[in-house]
Structure formats: C-alpha cells, structure tokens
C-alpha cells in the first residue's frame, strides 16, 4: 500500500510538471511572446530524439540547453556538476519486467520526475565535438535527397515555378538557382508537406499546413547549424499567436523533424 501511494505521488508530480509547462507555453503565446516559441523550436532541434513532453520541459526550465545528462552520467564522462546548479526536471517512465516469463520486454506502469543537468552546468573533461554545419548544408544534402527517394518521392528543379518550392503528392519541385542553404530549407519544407499532409485524409487549412512545414524546416535547419532567423520570423508572422493551431501541430512537428534528423 505504501509503495502504491509513493508511486501515485511520483505520477502526480510528473503530471503537475507537464501541466505547468503547457500552461506557460499557452500564456506566452497569448501574450505575443514569440521568443518563447522560438526557444521551444530550438529545443526540438537540440533534442529531436526526446519526447514532446520533455522538449517542453527542457525549453521551459533551461532554454539554452544543448546537451543534458544525469548527475552520475556526467561523472562517468569525467565531468562534475558545478556547486549550486539547479537541476532540469524531465519525465522518465517507470518500467517493470513483463509478466510473461519467456519475454524480455518491459511494461511501463507510470512516470516519475528525474533530475538532469546541461553541459554548461558542469566542468571537467572536454567531450568529443561533433562537427556542425555553419551556413552550408552540403554534407547533409545527399542524405536528404536519399530520404526523399526512400519515401518514393520524385525531386526535380525548375525555372518555371513562382514559389521557391511545391509539393504535389509524390513529387517535389524546387526553384532553380537558390543558395545551398535556401535550397536545403525548401526541400525540408516540401518533404514535411509530403510526410504530414499528402493523402492523410485530414481537413487542415492551408495556414496550418504551411505552419507545420515551416516549423519542421526551422527545427531541422537549426539542428544542423543553418541560419534560419529570417524564415522563423516569417513563420511567426503567419502564426499570429494562434495557440490552438500550435498545440494541435506541436507533436506532429516534433515527430516529423525528428524523423528527418535521424535519417540525415
């Protein structure tokens, strides 16, 4: 009985943490604080393999975070958490072995709050640095084209389109002559349309489709180090603080951006 009560307290604490994060996001959007929205999308770029919930929690508590780990993990990496640093609280599943004795699978039976710290809150041995593109997506470009091909989508370039790019269900057309960064961003935008909006049977407005595709492009480009500030400001203008639109699209944006980033 005592153990069940303890587990319930853990679940309630986790739920409260998530509810507060969602409330803060909605409040910031309603008050026109676009910088908060930008922080959330940057967190998606830095932590694209994390859950939607934990991305919200990281962005809310430590929006400049780039690499996070628990206290003991940092010690194993020969780094130590600096004295006085406040932990970032995220959600972790509570698991137990499946009742089927033959199976090695584990069941999730609840959630708990765990403490992690950003690398900037630690000191010690330098971590190996992964190279990051700064304005030139060349090393990712071929992988993006491969992902487009794997999804059975045709890619072509043309001088005869008014927009920078368009998606027509199984085909992406990009305007010829764009800079490498613009070309890459537009390809991601149109791929997002293909993955999210083509033949899905959903009644989405044009604004919602463009919002989602542009958000995916921002997250992916930010994650590989491209300057996307101007594109993001265009997105904010189109978004116009519509909290309903964001909350319906947020998880879809995160999953699609994560899928693209894992492949490239």
């Amino acid at each position: 009985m005592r153990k069940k009560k303890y587990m319930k307290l853990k679940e309630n604490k986790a739920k409260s943490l998530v509810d507060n994060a969602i409330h803060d996001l909605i409040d910031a959007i309603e008050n026109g604080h676009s910088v908060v929205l930008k922080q959330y999308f940057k967190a998606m770029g830095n932590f694209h393999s994390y859950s939607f919930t934990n991305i919200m929690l990281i962005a809310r508590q430590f929006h400049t975070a780039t690499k996070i780990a628990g206290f003991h993990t940092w010690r194993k990496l020969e780094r130590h958490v600096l004295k006085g640093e406040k932990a970032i609280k995220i959600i972790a599943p509570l698991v137990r072995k499946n009742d089927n004795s033959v199976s090695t699978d584990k069941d999730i039976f609840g959630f708990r709050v765990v403490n992690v710290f950003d690398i900037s809150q630690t000191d010690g041995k330098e971590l190996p640095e992964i190279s990051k593109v700064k304005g030139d997506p060349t090393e990712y470009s071929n992988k993006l084209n491969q992902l487009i091909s794997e999804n059975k989508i045709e890619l072509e370039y043309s001088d005869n389109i008014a927009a920078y790019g368009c998606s027509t269900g199984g085909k992406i057309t990009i305007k010829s002559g764009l800079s490498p960064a613009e070309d890459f961003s537009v390809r991601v935008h149109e791929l997002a349309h293909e993955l999210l909006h083509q033949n899905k049977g959903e009644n989405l407005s044009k604004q919602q489709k463009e919002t989602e595709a542009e958000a995916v492009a921002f997250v992916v480009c930010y994650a590989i180090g491209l300057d996307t500030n101007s594109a993001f400001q265009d997105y904010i203008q189109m978004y116009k603080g519509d909290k309903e639109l964001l909350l319906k699209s947020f998880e879809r944006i995160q999953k699609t951006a994560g899928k693209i980033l894992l492949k490239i």
Side-chain angles (χ1 to χ4, degrees), residues 82-95:
L82 297 169
K83 187 176 180 179
E85 290 292 342
K86 185 178 179 181
I88 304 165
K89 298 184 183 298
I90 63 173
I91 307 300
L94 294 166
V95 298

Side-chain angles (χ1 to χ4, degrees), residues 215-246:
V216 169
F218 174 84
V219 172
V220 172
C221 289
Y222 174 79
I224 68 166
L226 290 181
D227 180 5
T228 56
N229 284 335
S230 61
F232 186 80
Q233 292 306 316
D234 292 343
Y235 166 77
I236 289 294
Q237 290 300 313
M238 178 178 63
Y239 184 72
K240 294 178 182 175
D242 187 339
K243 71 177 187 295
E244 296 283 341
L245 182 58
L246 177 66

Side-chain angles (χ1 to χ4, degrees), residues 44 48 52 216 250-260:
M44 279 190 190
H48 56 85
F52 164 63
V216 169
F250 221 138
E251 192 165 3
R252 291 154 55 83
I253 291 165
Q254 183 257 328
K255 287 181 178 178
T256 305
K259 179 179 179 179
I260 294 172

Side-chain angles (χ1 to χ4, degrees), residues 97-104:
K97 190 173 180 181
N98 193 295
D99 291 337
N100 184 347
S101 58
V102 179
S103 173
T104 58

Side-chain angles (χ1 to χ4, degrees), residues 146-154 169-171 194:
Q146 185 177 343
L147 177 58
I148 291 170
S149 178
E150 285 174 3
N151 282 274
K152 296 181 170 53
I153 300 166
E154 182 184 351
K171 183 177 180 179
E194 290 287 327

Side-chain angles (χ1 to χ4, degrees), residues 9-46:
L9 284 171
K10 281 191 170 185
E11 283 196 57
N12 287 343
K13 185 177 180 182
K15 184 178 183 302
S16 176
L17 199 64
V18 174
D19 288 346
N20 288 340
I22 292 173
H23 177 272
D24 283 358
L25 175 60
I26 293 172
D27 186 61
I29 293 165
E30 286 182 328
N31 287 285
H33 297 159
S34 61
V35 66
V36 175
L37 186 59
K38 188 171 184 177
Q39 289 166 4
Y40 275 86
F41 284 119
K42 283 188 173 183
M44 279 190 190
N46 285 327

Side-chain angles (χ1 to χ4, degrees), residues 179-248:
S179 71
E182 286 177 324
D183 182 284
F184 184 87
S185 178
V186 174
R187 271 182 287 154
V188 174
H189 179 109
E190 301 305 335
L191 176 58
H193 276 310
E194 290 287 327
L195 297 177
L196 282 169
H197 307 134
Q198 298 295 352
N199 303 316
K200 300 298 182 181
E202 293 167 310
N203 186 26
L204 302 179
S205 68
K206 182 178 180 180
Q207 184 193 23
Q208 185 167 358
K209 290 178 182 179
E210 289 302 320
T211 299
E212 291 182 342
E214 190 62 16
V216 169
F218 174 84
V219 172
V220 172
C221 289
Y222 174 79
I224 68 166
L226 290 181
D227 180 5
T228 56
N229 284 335
S230 61
F232 186 80
Q233 292 306 316
D234 292 343
Y235 166 77
I236 289 294
Q237 290 300 313
M238 178 178 63
Y239 184 72
K240 294 178 182 175
D242 187 339
K243 71 177 187 295
E244 296 283 341
L245 182 58
L246 177 66
L247 291 177
K248 286 179 182 177

